Amino acid sequence: MKALIVEKTTTKPTYHDAKVVDVPKPESLGENQALIEVNAVAFNHRELWIRRGQYPGIVFGSVLGADGVGRIVDIKGGNSRLKIGDRVVVAPMVGWDKDPRGPEEAFYVLGGVQAEG
């Protein structure tokens, strides 16, 4: 599998490198996880801020491109209406579940940062 990752740079002004690398396919999925074959990825201000060193808690080696679309190629857990072959939109937000006006207090974005707690 291919991934675009962020690598630390020492150049000034800071603009961390992005590099395409081979990554292993996950050997197993955790409960209620899915493996997505990504067909398109959006690069947003989040990726720009990461590369500029302006995003808090950057973890180098993380995959860039948090928003995307693709198809489910593997899934674990029986509590989902999703199945292998379904097209899905990937949005890395956790904790924005109930209120359409805005996220709940426990809201955070997955990937590229150190998790708190």
Side-chain angles (χ1 to χ4, degrees):
M1 295 175 28
K2 301 281 185 189
L4 182 66
I5 64 166
V6 61
E7 288 190 332
K8 187 174 179 115
T9 186
T10 57
T11 61
K12 298 292 181 192
T14 299
Y15 200 72
H16 298 298
D17 295 328
K19 179 179 178 183
V20 176
V21 298
D22 289 309
V23 295
K25 179 180 175 184
E27 291 184 23
S28 63
L29 299 174
E31 191 65 26
N32 296 318
Q33 288 186 336
L35 181 63
I36 310 298
E37 179 182 285
V38 177
N39 301 120
V41 175
F43 292 95
N44 303 316
H45 279 93
R46 176 184 176 272
E47 285 76 30
L48 177 63
W49 294 330
I50 288 171
R51 292 199 62 203
R52 288 183 176 169
Q54 298 172 329
Y55 202 83
I58 297 169
V59 176
F60 296 104
S62 294
V63 177
L64 294 171
D67 302 322
V69 63
R71 291 192 185 277
I72 297 175
V73 295
D74 197 2
I75 193 165
K76 183 173 180 184
N79 295 331
S80 176
R81 68 182 185 280
L82 299 171
K83 62 188 178 311
I84 292 174
D86 283 353
R87 291 194 67 189
V88 293
V89 172
V90 178
M93 300 168 289
V94 175
W96 193 340
D97 300 319
K98 298 179 180 88
D99 192 341
R101 297 170 296 163
E104 289 80 19
E105 288 184 34
F107 174 79
Y108 63 96
V109 177
L110 295 173
V113 297
Q114 294 278 2
E116 293 186 20

